[in-house]
Amino acid sequence: MWLTVDPRSSTPMYQQIIADVKERIAKDILAPGSRLPSIRELAVDMTINPNTIAKAYQELEREGVIEVVRGKGTFVTEKREGPSPAASAADLRELLTKVLVEAHHKGVAFADVSRELEDLILHWSGSATDE
Amino acid sequence: MWLTVDPRSSTPMYQQIIADVKERIAKDILAPGSRLPSIRELAVDMTINPNTIAKAYQELEREGVIEVVRGKGTFVTEKREGPSPAASAADLRELLTKVLVEAHHKGVAFADVSRELEDLILHWSGSATDE
DNA sequence: CTATGTGTATTACTCTATATAGTACACATA
DNA sequence: TATGTGTACTATATAGAGTAATACACATAG
């Protein structure tokens, strides 16, 4: 199965699809320019409604992650331009703050979070040097 | 105003309250043992329904973040026991993965994420050595 | 005991988001 | 022309969020 999703999760299925595709692209499992399964294909494969896939694809296109060619299919965007660097920094900071808050309430030392991040980066997409 | 929330956000208000309280505790702005505003107090202050506050407080108690004493009020839990360290590690890894995926699609280098995290830890709760 | 202030519980209602279902359209290409 | 793309639209069902109003159980200051 190309993609799986948990229908009983609290996070909507279309958002799970979005997150999954973005993660594969970030890990270079989905290379830029490569083609994604068609909406109907995926719908049959995942046994969910085509509209749900369409919603995910539309959001991904809106974010510039994929590109759509009418009548042909959807493809991973070749070249990306980063949004405003300032906005990126703010968003990143917000995400990392959430991580530290969660770590605190789980009793995980901040140093361990730092170590974990380093480790993740090191083994990203099977020891590939991303970014 | 003790707490503010965005009613038009896609994340529910009661979840915003939860996140805010947890962040303040993690940053030691809310010390263990200190009292939180009463449900009705906060409801008037924030001009939202008491049920919404109650829902947030109940979830925070379920997580062991705060403690409730009937007829007296709600207080920040004094001593915490970390959950299973294994589960914590897995959750942390998942959160950090999300961060890296977001960073990738924003065109932020992983090294910068690492630096940003170090910086956040360093200035956590106004240069206090947490954890 | 009484009054007041805690959190809790319950019921009813509205609104929005999610997901499904079915149909129709526009474009590309073999 | 037939088939496979994504898109658009309407209708329906379900779940979650939020409000509203009321009642209950407990603690404590008068």
Side-chain angles (χ1 to χ4, degrees):
Chain A
M1 184 130 28
W2 197 81
L3 206 168
T4 58
V5 122
D6 181 9
R8 304 184 312 169
S9 167
S10 61
T11 64
M13 292 193 288
Y14 82 95
Q15 282 184 22
Q16 293 182 49
I17 297 172
I18 292 172
D20 200 286
V21 169
K22 288 171 81 173
E23 181 170 342
R24 294 196 199 191
I25 294 174
K27 287 185 175 174
D28 210 48
I29 298 172
L30 272 178
S34 63
R35 186 178 176 279
L36 274 68
S38 80
I39 287 179
R40 292 174 180 81
E41 237 176 6
L42 246 190
V44 172
D45 188 45
M46 302 172 66
T47 60
I48 68 175
N49 196 281
N51 294 340
T52 305
I53 318 278
K55 191 171 184 179
Y57 277 18
Q58 283 163 7
E59 173 62 15
L60 283 168
E61 192 199 16
R62 201 190 59 79
E63 293 183 27
V65 176
I66 63 179
E67 279 171 350
V68 161
V69 189
R70 301 250 292 193
K72 297 192 68 175
T74 71
F75 307 84
V76 178
T77 301
E78 293 279 2
K79 311 199 171 180
R80 307 291 323 284
E81 345 192 330
S84 63
S88 299
D91 289 352
L92 247 294
R93 205 173 181 85
E94 198 171 318
L95 268 178
L96 287 173
T97 298
K98 283 185 187 173
V99 172
L100 290 183
V101 170
E102 280 307 300
H104 172 95
H105 286 101
K106 286 177 181 301
V108 176
F110 286 177
D112 289 333
V113 178
S114 216
R115 255 191 296 277
E116 187 69 23
L117 179 63
E118 294 297 337
D119 192 59
L120 253 184
I121 294 177
L122 215 57
H123 301 94
W124 195 251
S125 73
S127 63
T129 20
D130 182 89
E131 297 293 330
Chain B
M1 188 131 25
W2 198 82
L3 207 169
T4 57
V5 123
D6 182 9
R8 304 184 312 169
S9 167
S10 61
T11 65
M13 290 193 290
Y14 82 96
Q15 283 184 21
Q16 293 182 48
I17 297 173
I18 292 172
D20 200 285
V21 169
K22 287 171 82 173
E23 181 169 340
R24 293 196 200 190
I25 294 174
K27 288 185 175 173
D28 210 47
I29 297 172
L30 271 179
S34 63
R35 187 176 176 280
L36 275 67
S38 80
I39 288 180
R40 293 175 180 80
E41 234 175 8
L42 246 191
V44 172
D45 188 44
M46 301 172 67
T47 60
I48 67 177
N49 196 282
N51 294 340
T52 305
I53 317 277
K55 193 172 185 179
Y57 277 18
Q58 282 163 9
E59 173 64 15
L60 283 169
E61 191 198 19
R62 201 190 60 78
E63 292 183 28
V65 177
I66 63 179
E67 279 171 350
V68 161
V69 188
R70 302 249 291 194
K72 298 193 67 177
T74 71
F75 306 84
V76 178
T77 301
E78 292 279 4
K79 309 199 172 181
R80 307 292 321 284
E81 344 193 331
S84 63
S88 299
D91 289 353
L92 247 293
R93 206 174 181 84
E94 200 171 317
L95 267 179
L96 286 172
T97 299
K98 282 185 188 173
V99 172
L100 290 182
V101 170
E102 281 307 302
H104 172 96
H105 287 100
K106 286 177 181 299
V108 176
F110 286 176
D112 288 333
V113 178
S114 218
R115 253 191 298 278
E116 187 69 24
L117 179 62
E118 294 297 339
D119 192 59
L120 253 184
I121 293 177
L122 215 59
H123 300 94
W124 195 250
S125 73
S127 64
T129 18
D130 182 271
E131 297 293 326

